[in-house]
Amino acid sequence: MSVTETTVLPAATRAEYCVVACAEAWRDAGEILASPMGTVPAIGARLAKLTFSPDLLLTDGEALLMADVPALGQRPGAVEGWLPFRQHLALTATGRRHVMMGASQIDRYGNQNISCIGDWARPTRQLLGVRGAPVNTLNNPTSYWVPKHSARVFVEHVDMVSGVGYDRAAAAGPAATRYHRIPEVVTNLGVFDFETPDRTMRLRSVHPGVTVEQVTEATGFALTVPDEVPFTREPTEAELRLIREVVDPKGLREREVPA
């Protein structure tokens, strides 16, 4: 191959559109801690740091702040700080973190459940427990990642509130709403936000190959759907190379969101 020739990259996969959509949650975030939970969000956070959010803080998943951006699953080559659990909690409580959590259930107002399925007195399935979801949602931006969009996840009412949605935050008053923000929800079908007058979920974009009808049929409540719904933005060639060659060379993203 001559120096003037370039390799044409294969088209972006659904997983790679999801990675870019997750990365956008941290666009121009500045020097805050990114806490991605899940394979695709972890790749997205690293992509954001390598491109449009260079000041983003990333950890190794334990207690070290990474100075570089290693491939997923590898230890950092350089460390720029120590972040013990108590300091991590301090960052959370002061709003200097943007976490992207999962959701076993989520409703139209963004109330999230990761605790149990069924009645609290006798649940049919025990899940993680509320974990840090209440503190996350009331103290720092909290987005969500759902790899399998379905009406079992997007429900009219969650069985238990773990992460606080817009309606419950408003009912609790100014102390709850002061720092409460749910920037976006990303799924294998599209991207959603709460930029509506009543703070209910809105379809912001669909991934290529997905129709609005597919999204609404897979959602257990009435979404706000604009007259024109764009496609999720396409990864640039540079972003695709970073995803495929630097951040996730093993292709772990394709396991979480199969083609």
Side-chain angles (χ1 to χ4, degrees), residues 74-212:
Q74 293 186 358
R75 302 292 294 176
V79 173
E80 63 180 356
W82 181 50
L83 190 68
F85 190 60
R86 63 180 179 273
Q87 186 62 33
H88 199 131
L89 291 177
L91 284 174
T92 300
T94 54
R96 292 176 292 168
R97 182 177 78 147
H98 184 165
V99 59
M100 183 170 284
M101 301 182 68
S104 300
Q105 292 179 327
I106 189 168
D107 68 19
R108 70 179 74 228
Y109 292 100
N111 294 293
Q112 168 245 34
N113 175 25
I114 52 171
S115 184
C116 66
I117 301 298
D119 184 79
W120 169 254
R122 195 176 181 85
T124 57
R125 182 173 298 177
Q126 178 65 53
L127 304 174
L128 292 173
V130 296
R131 310 289 286 187
V135 176
N136 289 343
T137 48
L138 295 183
N139 289 279
N140 53 225
T142 302
S143 294
Y144 294 107
W145 160 243
V146 178
K148 294 182 180 180
H149 190 129
S150 76
R152 295 179 62 182
V153 178
F154 287 75
V155 296
E156 187 67 45
H157 301 288
V158 298
D159 292 337
M160 179 181 175
V161 176
S162 302
V164 179
Y166 279 101
D167 59 338
R168 289 178 178 270
T177 58
R178 185 177 180 184
Y179 299 115
H180 179 268
R181 186 163 70 91
I182 308 173
E184 65 181 44
V185 178
V186 181
T187 80
N188 62 316
L189 298 184
V191 182
F192 308 80
D193 61 27
F194 298 86
E195 299 301 318
T196 57
D198 58 354
R199 289 298 196 178
T200 54
M201 194 179 294
R202 178 185 73 161
L203 177 59
R204 193 165 80 196
S205 70
V206 292
H207 304 322
V210 178
T211 66
V212 171

